[in-house]
Amino acid sequence: MSVNQYNPKQSTTMDIPVKTLGDNAGNQFTKTGNAKIGFVSLGCPKNLVDSERILTQLRTEGYDVVPTYNNAELVIVNTCGFIDSAVQESLDTIGEALNENGKVIVTGCLGVKEDEIREVHPNVLAITGPHAYETVVEQVHEHLPKPSHNPFLHLVPDHGIKLTPRHFAYLKISEGCNHRCTFCIIPSMRGDLVSRPVGEILDEAKRLKAAGVNELLVISQDTSAYGVDVKYQTGFWNGMPVKTHMQQLCEKLGEMDMWVRLHYVYPYPHVDDLIPLMAEGKILPYLDIPFQHANKRILRLMKRPGSADRTVERIKKWRELCPDLVIRSTFIVGFPGETEEEFIELLEFLEEAQLDRVGCFKYSPVEGAKANLLTDHVSEDIKEERLQRFMEVQSRISAQRLKNRIGNEYNVIIDEVNSEGAVARSFGEAPEIDGLIHINNEHELSPGERVWVEIIHSDEHDLWAVLSPDQD
């Protein structure tokens, strides 16, 4: 996939950092005459946070960030290596940067496979793995002179450089993962779980709030495992003890008068303790839980816990406590050895669980994944056929759950205003991965503003609304 034909849900092109820097400064980007860097960020929000940290340091040192290959003296590509298509996208992007510019530094998840990158692109200047912020900056120093920094010309906000719109931000609470799912190679790229100090996270959240952020998207490889590696040790924030634990972190974030949305939540038992916080309005009633499958045998082969019966029972209890709860999940069809009966069990689970938002992927062998060694791999034709059947069932469920919201009023956050009107989201829609709420013919609203709307129409993905007469 070319950087010039990018999918904004997956990639950040070279012009996005420049626009963000201009927005942070309160005006358009201006040249300073210092060394100029181009930056491309690929992959998931966790990668995006890594890009933000690198850009923050480079901008603090006075480097200019430019939107085109021709204007850049060096290009950094932050890669993704999760599945084969992501690997190919990363390799293609590196190749494009080399062809257009010639001086390229590679970082990110694919960077752990340096031999594979150099086999295709031997002329890259340097390669590092994920979250190697300091090393990337040191590599830049080797190939571009460090600017003569003037702090009055190169102001960087306290919260650093963000590659998201001003009103929402990703808050990464840990790195790595202790699980060894057989279809995944992330631990070999990002290592085992390392939780950030709770006080450091809360300080960052406070800075983001002061900068105008009113929605935090809490992310990590395994969000609900936060604190396991340090045995939930007690930290301190504002002079008060706070445990390095998901529940206490959410309680503190919920006191900051921002939307707090949880992503990548592994279904540990203590997730049950978060539901009352959602019912009380302290955090959003939204859970992003990658269930992956419903059949016990397939889950064991994946090295994932759980079973359909227990999961459905928990979901019912969650919804009894918090009726507004929206659940997003992802699943894999065509996993090695999956039988027709086991696939049908997955479809039956969808009918019982009535999940709101679902993504589904055909199993794809990833180099280094243990699942590749399993027998009875499913043919591509059957994978595709099962994917279509899966999505037919889930599309019907999602459409009905959205239809059930017609006539209800919701507090929404405005993401953008275009020629047709405003585009917004409620607690039920995460940015970039879920549907949208369209408020047609409303052009006086502003991004980041919150308003009350009444839902008047729906389809399989999106909702349409009008402003509520009483905004109080």
Side-chain angles (χ1 to χ4, degrees), residues 150-165:
N150 182 333
F152 296 102
L153 290 178
H154 307 109
L155 294 176
V156 174
D158 290 341
H159 62 279
I161 303 302
K162 310 305 287 184
L163 297 179
T164 52

Side-chain angles (χ1 to χ4, degrees), residues 271-290:
V271 172
D272 297 352
D273 299 328
L274 301 178
I275 306 304
L277 299 180
M278 297 179 181
E280 294 165 11
K282 293 182 178 178
I283 61 177
L284 293 183
Y286 180 100
L287 276 177
D288 177 1
I289 302 181

Side-chain angles (χ1 to χ4, degrees), residues 7-192:
N7 179 344
K9 293 185 179 181
Q10 296 178 333
S11 308
T12 298
T13 51
M14 294 177 69
D15 61 324
I16 299 298
V18 176
K19 181 181 182 302
T20 304
L21 287 167
D23 291 343
N24 285 334
N27 50 39
Q28 292 301 310
F29 174 78
T30 56
K31 295 180 180 179
T32 66
N34 288 326
K36 300 173 178 60
I37 293 174
F39 203 105
V40 182
S41 183
L42 306 174
C44 65
K46 295 178 284 293
N47 229 31
L48 191 71
V49 173
D50 292 349
S51 296
E52 291 172 342
R53 291 183 180 180
I54 296 169
L55 279 168
T56 295
Q57 184 59 38
L58 292 174
R59 189 62 175 144
T60 299
E61 293 185 1
Y63 289 96
D64 288 343
V65 182
V66 296
T68 65
Y69 290 121
N70 291 338
N71 291 336
E73 297 172 65
L74 180 150
V75 176
I76 300 172
V77 179
N78 193 2
T79 60
C80 178
F82 181 52
I83 57 176
D84 289 348
S85 59
V87 171
Q88 190 58 53
E89 177 189 12
S90 294
L91 291 174
D92 289 348
T93 303
I94 294 167
E96 180 177 287
L98 284 169
N99 290 335
E100 297 293 331
N101 182 274
K103 297 180 69 175
V104 177
I105 288 175
V106 176
T107 187
C109 288
L110 189 59
V112 300
K113 300 182 178 181
E114 180 170 355
D115 292 344
E116 183 175 332
I117 294 172
R118 290 201 180 278
E119 182 178 350
V120 181
H121 302 300
N123 295 325
V124 294
L125 298 176
I127 300 173
T128 61
H131 50 86
Y133 322 117
E134 294 179 358
T135 305
V136 173
V137 174
E138 289 170 1
Q139 291 168 347
V140 171
H141 293 163
E142 291 180 15
H143 298 281
L144 285 183
K146 196 170 180 178
S148 54
H149 179 60
N150 182 333
F152 296 102
L153 290 178
H154 307 109
L155 294 176
V156 174
D158 290 341
H159 62 279
I161 303 302
K162 310 305 287 184
L163 297 179
T164 52
R166 184 171 182 265
H167 59 279
F168 72 81
Y170 293 104
L171 182 66
K172 187 190 284 189
I173 63 173
S174 65
E175 285 287 359
C177 181
N178 287 343
H179 294 288
R180 297 297 183 264
C181 301
T182 57
F183 55 82
C184 180
I185 59 172
I186 291 298
S188 66
M189 295 177 171
R190 291 185 171 264
D192 290 336

Side-chain angles (χ1 to χ4, degrees), residues 186-442:
I186 291 298
S188 66
M189 295 177 171
R190 291 185 171 264
D192 290 336
L193 177 72
V194 179
S195 298
R196 292 179 65 193
V198 66
E200 180 182 301
I201 295 171
L202 293 170
D203 280 341
E204 181 178 353
K206 185 177 179 179
R207 290 194 298 271
L208 290 169
K209 167 71 176 177
V213 169
N214 55 25
E215 180 179 7
L216 290 176
L217 297 100
V218 179
I219 61 170
S220 66
Q221 301 298 333
D222 181 1
T223 297
S224 44
Y226 176 67
V228 168
D229 56 314
V230 294
K231 299 181 180 179
Y232 306 120
Q233 71 183 23
T234 299
F236 288 87
W237 186 65
N238 283 351
M240 299 295 291
V242 185
K243 279 192 174 181
T244 309
H245 188 278
M246 192 64 206
Q247 182 178 348
Q248 290 205 13
L249 175 63
C250 286
E251 288 173 353
K252 290 299 180 183
L253 291 173
E255 296 172 0
M256 294 189 181
D257 191 29
M258 288 186 283
W259 281 6
V260 178
R261 189 184 301 275
L262 304 182
H263 286 278
Y264 315 116
V265 178
Y266 209 87
Y268 295 123
H270 68 252
V271 172
D272 297 352
D273 299 328
L274 301 178
I275 306 304
L277 299 180
M278 297 179 181
E280 294 165 11
K282 293 182 178 178
I283 61 177
L284 293 183
Y286 180 100
L287 276 177
D288 177 1
I289 302 181
F291 290 120
Q292 305 299 7
H293 212 278
N295 176 263
K296 288 183 180 180
R297 190 184 74 89
I298 295 298
L299 287 169
R300 282 198 300 270
L301 290 176
M302 291 178 170
K303 287 200 172 179
R304 301 280 295 185
S307 66
D309 293 343
R310 290 200 300 272
T311 300
V312 169
E313 183 180 340
R314 290 181 75 192
I315 290 173
K316 288 179 178 178
K317 289 181 178 178
W318 292 344
R319 286 177 170 155
E320 287 174 4
L321 288 170
C322 184
D324 287 335
L325 178 64
V326 167
I327 302 176
R328 146 170 284 282
S329 189
T330 53
F331 294 86
I332 297 173
V333 297
F335 192 79
E338 181 190 61
T339 66
E340 176 65 14
E341 291 75 17
E342 290 165 337
F343 173 69
I344 290 174
E345 184 179 340
L346 176 56
L347 298 184
E348 291 171 346
F349 169 78
L350 293 179
E351 297 283 8
E352 285 191 87
Q354 292 287 299
L355 304 176
D356 299 87
R357 308 277 189 182
V358 169
C360 186
F361 305 89
K362 295 184 293 184
Y363 172 76
S364 173
V366 178
E367 184 181 350
K370 292 184 178 180
N372 300 342
L373 304 177
L374 297 174
T375 58
D376 301 323
H377 280 246
V378 179
S379 70
E380 287 300 320
D381 288 344
I382 293 178
K383 287 182 195 176
E384 181 61 32
E385 185 258 349
R386 288 179 181 171
L387 175 64
Q388 296 306 317
R389 289 163 61 193
F390 180 101
M391 293 312 300
E392 286 175 10
V393 171
Q394 183 56 45
S395 294
R396 172 172 48 79
I397 293 170
S398 294
Q400 184 58 51
R401 292 194 68 80
L402 288 176
K403 188 175 181 180
N404 292 343
R405 295 171 68 178
I406 293 176
N408 293 338
E409 291 191 348
Y410 298 97
N411 190 228
V412 302
I413 190 168
I414 305 300
D415 276 340
E416 65 172 311
V417 179
N418 55 37
S419 59
E420 295 183 357
V423 180
R425 293 176 294 104
S426 72
F427 67 85
E429 295 84 32
E432 300 183 335
I433 58 173
D434 293 330
L436 301 168
I437 299 177
H438 303 276
I439 315 171
N440 291 345
N441 302 317
E442 294 290 345

